[in-house]
Each structure stands twice: as C-alpha cells, then as structure tokens.
Amino acid sequence: EVQLVESGGGLVQPGRSMKLSCAASGFTFSNYGMAWVRQAPTKGLEWVATISYDGSSTYYRDSVKGRFTISRDNAKSTLYLQMNSLRSEDTATYYCTRVGYGLFAYWGQGTLVTVSS
Amino acid sequence: DIQMTQSPASLSASLEEIVTITCQASQDIGNYLSWYQQKPGKSPQLLIHSATSLADGVPSRFSGSRSGTQYSLKINRLQVEDTGIYYCLQHYSAPYTFGAGTKLELK
C-alpha cells in the first residue's frame, strides 16, 4: 500500500524558513516523480513543485521560484520542500503526492504551514 | 498559463440522481485531464485520469468524457458517500492548474 507521510509544518514568522519532509513507503520511491501541492484554508488546490524520479529535473510555480527548493533522498525514500522567505500567502496545507496516471496519483494526509507574526 | 473554468461552483442533488460537472480548458490540453474528489478534512483522491479512464478502486458510477476542450465528470445514481468537493486538473503544461472546485451536496 502506498503511504506518504508529511511532517515539518507549523507556525513560522514571515521571512523565515521551514523544511517539509515526506516519508514514502509501499512502492519503489526511486522509480517515481514526486510533487508538492498546497491548499490555502478554505481554498482550492495549487500545484507547487515537481521533481523527477532521479532528482535531475525540478519545476516550480512562478510564485515560489527562487524561494522554494524541492529535493529528494532516494536512499531514505524521502521527499523534501525547503521553503525560504516565507510570506503570509504561503499559508496552506502542503500535500506530498506521487506522480502517476492523472499526475497526482497518490496523496499524503498533508501538513499545515501557517506564516504569521 | 492554461485556465480551467469549472462549473457549477456548487450543486445539490438527490440520492440516485445523475450529476454532471464540467471543466472548460482555455486551450487544447488533449487528454491531460484528471478529476479528484476531496471529502471534508481529507486529502484529495484521484477519480479519473486521461480524461476518461477510471482510477483503480473507483466505483463504475463515475465516468469522464471529453468534447474538444470541454471535459465532464458524470456520477450515475448519486450515493451518500459521493458528497464532497470535486476538482479537475490539467497537466498538459506547467504550471499545472486545477479548476476552482465543485461542492456537491445531497438534497
């Protein structure tokens, strides 16, 4: 069974940094692209970033480019999202997803990031 | 960026009724369209991929169709467990974009 478990969320001040992690199990992590999708409170879904199966290619939405970095450790079956210079508009639940049919084939339970002073 | 215009924003339907939700893409996206269901307090789940293919484990009362750049999700014989918010997603080109969502409730 595919399992994706996010961690690292919480309350952070504007301008500060936070790093999210996603522990994957139930599949061969190194065979799949991965992505982060976020959802602001009571709002819709928004793609954030994608990384290829081997980490050689990464893609970001414009609003996080230069501030967020997606990475992975295939030996640890873990996906990361380093978030710098956080803004209030980054407040959201961040979901770790496995790429597959339909793009976001499997989702974690999410971790809430609140950017506030 | 490709815009996905989803309608209706909300929908109230009766048990066993047929429900249709649509997404209009702002340009050709081929079959790079999927549908997700999100229940309150839960993460989204894939229902349909490649515009018309049912994801594993999804009941056969769900179906997807395409007509040009308009995509539809149809639910035959609505059940209680089908309530929630439905989103379409285009993954033809980045930035990948979701529709605004359709909130489906039981009448």
Side-chain angles (χ1 to χ4, degrees):
Chain A
E1 179 195 2
V2 172
Q3 285 205 328
L4 301 168
V5 180
E6 302 94 336
S7 60
L11 176 63
V12 62
Q13 292 181 329
R16 303 298 289 264
S17 300
M18 178 173 275
K19 187 172 185 176
L20 306 181
S21 299
C22 170
S25 61
F27 65 101
T28 303
F29 183 72
S30 58
N31 286 353
Y32 291 89
M34 299 292 293
W36 290 96
V37 175
R38 68 184 179 185
Q39 185 171 36
T42 71
K43 300 297 184 185
L45 300 166
E46 183 175 81
W47 166 74
V48 175
T50 301
I51 187 168
S52 60
Y53 70 99
D54 60 356
S56 63
S57 298
T58 56
Y59 310 89
Y60 301 91
R61 68 179 304 103
D62 283 350
S63 61
V64 308
K65 216 172 281 185
R67 299 189 299 124
F68 290 13
T69 301
I70 188 171
S71 63
R72 63 191 298 158
D73 184 334
N74 283 347
K76 295 182 177 179
S77 296
T78 302
L79 176 72
Y80 303 101
L81 185 67
Q82 175 68 47
M83 304 184 293
N84 299 332
S85 304
L86 281 161
R87 306 167 181 167
S88 57
E89 54 263 38
D90 295 319
T91 293
T93 295
Y94 285 73
Y95 294 102
C96 167
T97 71
R98 193 193 90 175
V99 170
Y101 287 119
L103 190 57
F104 308 126
Y106 294 92
W107 300 62
Q109 85 288 350
T111 187
L112 177 62
V113 173
T114 303
V115 184
S116 175
S117 53
Chain B
D1 298 1
I2 298 173
Q3 308 301 317
M4 300 301 296
T5 304
Q6 186 171 343
S7 62
S10 63
L11 180 55
S12 182
S14 302
L15 217 55
E16 305 276 313
E17 192 174 330
I18 297 174
V19 167
T20 300
I21 298 167
T22 63
C23 269
Q24 178 71 48
S26 59
Q27 65 182 73
D28 179 31
I29 60 170
N31 285 333
Y32 291 90
L33 187 285
S34 49
W35 290 95
Y36 299 83
Q37 176 196 60
Q38 186 176 30
K39 297 187 180 182
K42 300 291 186 181
S43 54
Q45 289 195 318
L46 178 66
L47 294 175
I48 301 284
H49 65 84
S50 307
T52 60
S53 298
L54 205 62
D56 290 345
V58 175
S60 58
R61 62 180 180 275
F62 290 90
S63 64
S65 63
R66 171 193 175 188
S67 176
T69 56
Q70 183 168 85
Y71 300 81
S72 298
L73 172 69
K74 182 178 175 182
I75 309 173
N76 280 314
R77 301 187 66 187
L78 187 69
Q79 302 297 301
V80 172
E81 59 267 29
D82 298 335
T83 57
I85 302 177
Y86 291 80
Y87 296 94
C88 63
L89 165 74
Q90 71 79 18
H91 56 102
Y92 177 79
S93 68
Y96 310 118
T97 44
F98 291 88
T102 295
K103 186 174 184 179
L104 175 59
E105 297 175 324
L106 269 180
K107 198 179 288 183

